[in-house]
Amino acid sequence: DLANCSGLALGSPTRFGNMASEMKYFWDQTTSLWLNGALHNKPACVFTSSGSMHGGQESTLLTMLPPLFHHGMMILGLPNAIPALSNTKTGGTPYGASHVSGPRHDQNLSQDEKILCEAQGKRLGEIAKKLLD
């Protein structure tokens, strides 16, 4: 499926400031795609969720990026031109959308988080479409 995608939105929960081990294992199995350059020049973005405000969202997003760079993908973040990025009191980073779910994981997305998620998805879709034209 990865070889046929036009773009990739990659998400993982935060696990002590890292992507989940299952995500790492998944990427470790993509050597044949890497050897063939199957993901070169495809746009990608990352997103995450954590239980607390300082639960390692940004570091998790950063741990998800190296496999994408090694596969030759084009990384899309969230530009500061989106006001919700500066206004948010919950999730959201320049590296990608994020959500603070609370210690019991029962917090809904905040309005700013929703705006940032939608903006990131829209940006990915627009860039993927332009690259296909």
Side-chain angles (χ1 to χ4, degrees), residues 43-93:
C45 62
V46 293
F47 62 95
T48 191
S49 177
S50 67
S52 65
M53 189 62 170
H54 303 290
Q57 292 178 2
E58 288 185 340
S59 61
T60 297
L61 296 171
L62 291 171
T63 68
M64 293 165 63
L65 294 177
L68 305 180
F69 282 121
H70 280 270
H71 275 284
M73 299 188 88
M74 296 183 287
I75 309 305
L76 304 174
L78 284 167
N80 64 1
I82 304 168
L85 190 59
S86 298
N87 298 335
T88 185
K89 301 290 186 243
T90 54
T93 80

